[in-house]
Amino acid sequence: MEIRTNPFYELRNRLYASAAAGCAIIAEDFRLKRAVEAFKPMSEANKVFGKLYDMCNALLASEDPADSITDCIALADALAVTQGVFADDSETKPAPKNEKMKPAHLTCAKIEEYKELIRKSQYDKQDFDEGFFRDISDPRILTSVMNVAGKNGIGIASLLIQLESVCGAEIIPALFDSVDLSNKNATGNQIRFISSVYREKYNDRYIEFAEKEENPQGVRCAAIEAMVYAKENEDRLLNIFRISKGKVKQSALLALAKMNSAHAEPEIEKAAKNLKSTQTELITESGLKAAVDYARADHEIILKNGESSRGTNHPFSLSFMSELENKKDIEDIFENWGEKYSHEPITPSHSSPVFRHINEVLVSNLYEHPGDEDYRSLIINLYRKYPDVYLPAAFTLMLMTDPEHACGTMITDHRIYDRNVFEELFRIFTTPDGWYRIRRNRYSNESDYLNIKLFKSLPEDILRFLSDTSVIFPAAELKKTVPEWKRP
């Protein structure tokens, strides 16, 4: 139930202004007259308001306005005191109980230290220690975290991952509430984080944020991205695409492409004829035939004519391997790259970045499609045929499925494989809940929250590998053994 009291306060303020201006001109004060007239509807609904209205009308014609305005102001002040008390018969329900939110015994100085650290918003790994995450359940600290949750900044993604590991799903209502719908520049990053962890679980909230046209553009785009995780959202996304413009329309199309919806196929075909840099995600995010055909044709040209054969103006001139993401029926393209690299020396510091990027594509699929066995089978098949080329992806997969034997099984030649293995192990990080996790990117990324839980204690297999001093080779000796090796 909404109570509009603005006309009352406008009248009260006008009475004070008229008294300050001088009672002699009250009869000619058009602003006061206008405020009295605006107050009339309220006077008809309440007897006390009605009395104030009558007194103000009498004031406008009074021969002694000084006494009259004093009485009007006195009654208006008395009414102002009572405006905070009203009846509301709308349905209510208790707020969700949050067992994790408990006050901590903190000094004012410590609270301010934490708040200042949070406001910094470009964090280093060492900024947040165990004590911080032990105290983060304190509402005073948690509120400060919620205030930065939607910002872009190095380390905020990592902070949210750590926070969720401590609080679990109980923090989700607070994250949704922290989305600032009054800020036209709001990013909606809270929604991106929630959907990266809980996928379709909060689909109703995603729809609510996405379909409300008054919401900030960034929030709507983030919610549309999250709707991808529920197949039943296809018709809703199609409707948003048809009725929207600009970035919202593009986000809806991208979501349909990512869902491999047939509705996105004609748009991808049209874009592929003259692809622009702003449309590359339609290719990378989709497994539809038009996206697969584009990637296949592009890689055939590169394999035949070299990486620079398409010119620097090509949308994928620097990241053409990403075209292969989120696609299943392209094992032959990976085999062609495997064949190419199997004839080149695979050394601890391979000269071509493509060797790394082709594995990153395969690894990324494990995070985007965690329950899809087809992407795992693709890595296994490629590793069997080209073990030197696809070891990084296969090793990452084994860390996820059989971490107790990953190093011992796959590292058959330390001089060749150690560097690649170290780079994959570098993705591993810990969270306050005791888990070792592995992130998709080598470093914490401000917009990428994807990670996978591995284990709660380091396997002996990994410890043996990391502590084996027999595999430390002097650079001169390594140069003799592997002539192609270059110091990193």
Side-chain angles (χ1 to χ4, degrees):
M1 184 175 83
E2 182 182 17
I3 295 184
R4 295 185 56 84
T5 56
N6 282 348
F8 164 71
Y9 288 109
E10 289 170 7
L11 174 59
R12 178 170 174 261
N13 291 339
R14 206 57 247 159
L15 287 169
Y16 272 99
S18 296
C23 296
I25 60 171
I26 282 180
E28 302 173 3
D29 190 342
F30 71 91
R31 292 186 180 86
L32 178 58
K33 290 179 181 178
R34 190 164 57 193
V36 172
E37 286 304 310
F39 183 62
K40 186 177 180 179
M42 291 188 70
S43 71
E44 296 170 352
N46 183 294
K47 290 182 179 180
V48 184
F49 281 170
K51 183 178 179 180
L52 177 61
Y53 175 72
D54 292 339
M55 288 173 63
C56 289
N57 268 326
L59 167 65
L60 294 172
S62 174
E63 294 181 359
D64 186 8
D67 282 344
S68 298
I69 199 169
T70 302
D71 293 338
C72 290
I73 289 174
L75 180 56
D77 284 347
L79 285 170
V81 173
T82 66
Q83 289 312 297
V85 181
F86 63 94
D88 186 349
D89 56 0
S90 60
E91 184 180 352
T92 62
K93 58 182 179 180
K97 190 176 181 181
N98 192 333
E99 297 289 352
K100 299 288 186 181
M101 192 176 290
K102 298 176 182 178
H105 296 289
L106 299 171
T107 64
C108 291
K110 191 63 177 177
I111 292 171
E112 286 306 312
E113 179 186 332
Y114 281 151
K115 287 183 176 180
E116 184 59 34
L117 182 60
I118 293 165
R119 282 193 291 267
K120 174 183 171 184
S121 80
Q122 184 162 328
Y123 313 121
D124 298 318
K125 289 181 180 179
Q126 64 272 19
D127 281 343
F128 300 105
D129 56 16
E130 291 182 8
F132 174 82
F133 290 106
R134 183 179 60 249
D135 296 333
I136 203 170
S137 60
D138 188 292
R140 296 164 293 184
I141 310 303
L142 200 54
T143 298
S144 295
V145 175
M146 293 299 106
N147 288 339
V148 302
K151 293 183 178 179
N152 291 320
I154 297 174
I156 289 181
S158 179
L159 177 59
L160 290 179
I161 292 169
Q162 306 273 347
L163 174 64
E164 192 278 334
S165 78
V166 174
C167 301
E170 291 182 359
I171 200 62
I172 300 306
L175 279 171
F176 275 125
D177 290 343
S178 72
V179 178
D180 186 1
L181 299 180
S182 66
N183 179 6
K184 67 177 182 179
N185 297 318
T187 64
N189 284 345
Q190 301 95 319
I191 301 172
R192 290 187 175 91
F193 171 71
I194 292 168
S195 63
S196 75
V197 179
Y198 293 96
R199 302 280 165 150
E200 75 280 3
K201 181 175 180 179
Y202 297 99
N203 188 52
D204 289 346
R205 296 302 308 274
Y206 308 153
I207 293 173
E208 177 187 336
F209 281 108
E211 294 188 339
K212 196 169 182 178
E213 295 183 8
E214 310 89 79
N215 285 344
Q217 178 179 268
V219 172
R220 293 192 69 197
C221 291
I224 288 168
E225 292 170 23
M227 288 173 67
V228 142
Y229 295 114
K231 186 65 178 174
E232 61 266 26
N233 289 336
E234 185 173 357
D235 289 341
R236 289 180 179 273
L237 288 168
L238 180 60
N239 183 58
I240 294 173
F241 171 69
R242 286 172 173 168
I243 67 174
S244 302
K245 297 179 180 179
K247 290 184 179 180
V248 173
K249 184 181 185 73
Q250 188 64 21
S251 293
L253 174 59
L254 183 59
L256 288 168
K258 194 170 182 177
M259 294 173 78
N260 294 327
S261 167
H263 297 295
E265 188 91 57
E267 297 296 327
I268 297 177
E269 288 178 353
K270 187 195 307 181
K273 291 177 182 177
N274 184 25
L275 196 70
K276 299 181 175 127
S277 58
T278 55
Q279 300 171 313
T280 55
E281 284 186 297
L282 290 176
I283 303 298
T284 62
E285 297 293 329
S286 181
L288 288 167
K289 183 178 183 299
V292 173
D293 289 348
Y294 181 96
R296 186 183 301 280
D298 210 22
H299 278 256
E300 285 175 357
I301 293 172
I302 298 168
L303 283 161
K304 182 178 180 180
N305 302 314
E307 296 170 23
S308 60
S309 59
R310 302 162 305 155
T312 56
N313 292 327
H314 193 284
F316 285 103
S317 61
L318 298 177
S319 57
F320 57 86
M321 279 297 171
S322 59
E323 297 173 348
L324 305 180
E325 292 179 7
N326 304 299
K327 298 169 181 62
K328 296 181 180 180
D329 302 325
I330 53 170
E331 187 170 336
D332 57 313
I333 300 178
F334 286 105
E335 288 178 350
N336 289 339
W337 280 109
E339 186 67 25
K340 171 180 170 61
Y341 280 108
S342 65
H343 297 297
E344 297 184 14
I346 306 298
T347 67
S349 183
H350 199 282
S351 59
S352 174
V354 175
F355 172 72
R356 175 185 297 171
H357 293 163
I358 199 169
N359 280 278
E360 287 180 347
V361 167
L362 295 166
V363 169
S364 178
N365 289 338
L366 298 176
Y367 293 85
E368 289 285 356
H369 313 278
D372 197 322
E373 289 298 323
D374 289 341
Y375 289 105
R376 296 188 173 197
S377 298
L378 176 61
I379 292 175
I380 293 170
N381 292 339
L382 291 170
Y383 175 68
R384 286 172 178 164
K385 295 175 183 176
Y386 305 100
D388 289 348
V389 178
Y390 293 109
L391 178 128
F395 178 73
T396 301
L397 175 58
M398 198 165 186
L399 278 177
M400 298 174 183
T401 58
D402 189 13
E404 292 81 7
H405 304 96
C407 292
T409 301
M410 307 202 74
I411 304 171
T412 55
D413 189 327
H414 288 285
R415 291 166 299 179
I416 294 179
Y417 300 133
D418 277 11
R419 181 177 174 84
N420 294 326
V421 169
F422 277 126
E423 288 193 350
E424 299 312 307
L425 291 176
F426 192 70
R427 300 175 191 257
I428 296 176
F429 66 104
T430 59
T431 46
D433 57 351
W435 279 95
Y436 286 83
R437 304 174 184 232
I438 186 166
R439 61 170 60 92
R440 174 163 62 175
N441 289 295
R442 281 178 167 75
Y443 305 94
S444 178
N445 185 294
E446 69 178 45
S447 60
D448 191 346
Y449 309 96
L450 293 180
N451 66 87
I452 292 175
K453 291 180 179 178
L454 296 179
F455 34 74
K456 280 205 165 186
S457 61
L458 276 174
E460 287 294 324
D461 178 68
I462 295 178
L463 290 173
R464 279 195 299 271
F465 168 72
L466 294 175
S467 59
D468 186 358
T469 58
S470 67
V471 300
I472 299 176
F473 298 94
E477 180 184 337
L478 190 59
K479 181 70 176 176
K480 293 177 183 177
T481 310
V482 187
E484 299 84 5
W485 181 80
K486 296 178 182 179
R487 186 186 299 274

